[in-house]
Amino acid sequence: MHELSIAQSLVELAIEAAADAGIKPVKAVHLKLGTLSGVVKESLEFSFDIVTEGTPLEGARLVIEEVPVKVFCPDCREAHVLPEPFPMRCPVCGVKTGQVLEGREIELYALEGGEGDAGDDVESTDR
Amino acid sequence: MQETTSNPRIVEIRQNVLKKNDLLARGLRKRFLDAGVYVTNLVSSPGAGKTTLLTEVLTRLGQRYRVAALVGDLATENDAERLRKSGAQVRQITTGTVCHLEAEMVERNLEGWDMRDIDFLFIENVGNLVCPASYDLGENERVVLFSVTEGEDKPVKYPTIVNSADLAVITKVDLAEAVGFQRERFYEALSEVRPGIPVLEVSARSGEGIDEWVSHLETAKRSCKEMVSTS
């Protein structure tokens, strides 16, 4: 279970990015998670709530977009998204390929600010 | 004058969550390359035979090269003590509750070692087939080990780590017959998740395959050096 330390990194990164972008409060954290990332979505969601406690991100939602595996097929000479991460075969011609183009990412994709987010001192009344 | 909007504002960030680890790993990789150290990251489940095999490899390589190892466990110095019998310089990394090694742990534990005094560095990761997959340690090569006693379908059960590996090593092959290990099924499982991955079969007890692995390491180190000198 390394999701707790990944959640920790995510929250640190998000707090930094929110400060840079002047987003206050943060309503949601959008994450792209590849199916080959080795991260369990549910564990990460669980860890996120724990890690955000007492931080500027407390109460923010974690929105995870799962990214399927995209491989390059040496035979078709094209990129294809796999319906399932395994087996690693081109879904069109069936040739085995290990050339992964997408599906490994753990990426903080976007931050969502809410009402009162205009860089002023208005306190959020939400929640 | 600023206008307050009630619409949510979405700002694109697009940053790798493991950025810190990956930046550290990149720094380590450069440091290893500059000093001419070839680095292997060994991953497997607990009990696959990493330490026994590594002791063997360190002993053989140690006759001609300067070898070192970092070994990760949650607790105890036991594995470091076992590895030291090979004559290599060894440091134990105890992670406490952390189930994998991170680049920062590697960097911290190299302190005081002169990289120019090392030809081969082995990093024995914490026994775990899940979490180590996510962390780049700046290695040249990631090796995943499976023992014949673990069953033929282990690669498809833990596909992520296999997919991130450069070489697969089957250990304890002297027991293959005794446990009814079905080679073909294993190779098929492996190629489902990491087509084209090279495989070595070894036994620390009988010595089978150890020479092949040692020469693989020597070749890899040489081509790594050539890459540097031509770049």
Side-chain angles (χ1 to χ4, degrees):
Chain A
M1 161 99 178
H2 61 315
E3 281 76 6
L4 194 60
S5 73
I6 294 206
Q8 189 78 50
S9 307
L10 170 64
V11 170
E12 280 170 22
L13 199 62
I15 290 172
E16 235 171 73
D20 287 349
I23 299 175
K24 196 178 143 190
V26 176
K27 289 289 192 182
V29 173
H30 292 256
L31 183 79
K32 286 201 176 191
L33 192 62
T35 46
L36 280 182
S37 64
V39 173
V40 180
K41 189 182 164 201
E42 290 73 19
S43 305
L44 190 63
E45 286 167 341
F46 175 76
S47 305
F48 183 80
D49 290 339
I50 297 172
V51 171
T52 48
E53 239 171 71
T55 74
L57 247 61
E58 189 168 341
R61 280 179 302 129
L62 176 63
V63 183
I64 298 179
E65 182 195 330
E66 287 180 270
V67 183
V69 181
K70 189 191 260 182
V71 293
F72 181 77
C73 171
D75 265 31
C76 308
R77 307 210 61 76
E78 265 177 23
H80 294 294
V81 171
L82 301 186
E84 297 285 331
F86 302 103
M88 287 228 161
R89 285 205 187 109
C90 172
V92 177
C93 70
V95 156
K96 285 188 177 177
T97 171
Q99 297 184 47
V100 178
L101 302 174
E102 282 175 21
R104 285 204 171 109
E105 51 277 85
I106 310 171
E107 185 185 67
L108 168 60
Y109 188 72
L111 290 175
E112 196 178 314
E115 290 166 37
D117 167 34
D120 54 19
D121 292 332
V122 178
E123 282 280 312
S124 170
T125 50
D126 199 31
R127 277 184 187 266
Chain B
M1 180 160 154
Q2 259 175 343
E3 210 175 297
T4 309
T5 167
S6 59
N7 291 329
R9 183 162 78 101
I10 295 188
V11 177
E12 204 171 291
I13 308 290
R14 305 207 69 155
Q15 285 198 41
N16 182 355
V17 172
L18 294 176
K19 186 175 76 172
K20 269 189 191 158
N21 183 80
D22 292 350
L23 282 174
L24 277 175
R26 200 184 299 169
L28 281 173
R29 187 166 285 119
K30 183 169 184 327
R31 201 169 138 197
F32 294 143
L33 208 65
D34 289 347
V37 191
Y38 190 80
V39 185
T40 306
N41 177 9
L42 300 175
V43 292
S44 83
S45 48
K50 285 190 300 295
T51 312
T52 310
L53 184 64
L54 189 51
T55 309
E56 216 30 57
V57 171
L58 286 170
T59 307
R60 302 239 184 146
L61 274 173
Q63 293 165 1
R64 277 169 293 147
Y65 302 96
R66 298 161 300 177
V67 288
L70 296 175
V71 52
D73 277 302
L74 269 61
T76 81
E77 273 270 334
N78 295 356
D79 279 3
E81 277 163 28
R82 284 172 63 197
L83 288 169
R84 273 187 202 113
K85 287 183 184 141
S86 68
Q89 32 178 357
V90 182
R91 279 195 185 151
Q92 179 81 46
I93 305 177
T94 44
T95 60
T97 55
V98 183
C99 53
H100 58 269
L101 293 180
E102 297 184 13
E104 181 274 325
M105 301 175 193
V106 172
E107 188 182 49
R108 187 158 29 100
N109 282 278
L110 290 175
E111 222 165 275
W113 275 0
D114 188 343
M115 284 300 113
R116 288 164 303 183
D117 288 342
I118 301 170
D119 297 311
F120 288 94
L121 172 69
F122 292 86
I123 303 168
E124 184 183 326
N125 221 308
V126 178
N128 178 342
L129 279 174
V130 185
C131 310
S134 302
Y135 296 88
D136 183 0
L137 304 180
E139 71 265 24
N140 293 97
E141 183 172 53
R142 186 176 293 182
V143 178
V144 61
L145 290 88
F146 292 101
S147 64
V148 295
T149 56
E150 292 172 69
E152 295 83 4
D153 57 352
K154 208 82 182 268
V156 283
K157 285 181 180 163
Y158 297 89
T160 310
I161 197 123
V162 181
N163 189 263
S164 77
D166 304 293
L167 171 72
V169 173
I170 312 175
T171 61
K172 309 184 189 179
V173 290
D174 56 305
L175 299 175
E177 205 177 323
V179 298
F181 180 68
Q182 298 175 42
R183 256 185 193 80
E184 266 174 39
R185 273 191 60 202
F186 181 86
Y187 278 84
E188 184 51 37
L190 208 54
S191 83
E192 291 281 279
V193 291
R194 178 75 168 84
I197 189 169
V199 188
L200 278 175
E201 295 190 15
V202 302
S203 162
R205 193 189 297 183
S206 72
E208 183 183 342
I210 309 281
D211 286 340
E212 283 84 350
W213 195 12
V214 166
S215 63
H216 157 81
L217 287 162
E218 288 178 303
T219 312
K221 181 176 164 56
R222 257 198 311 275
S223 52
C224 192
K225 208 172 172 183
E226 277 158 21
M227 244 171 60
V228 176
S229 57
T230 54
S231 68

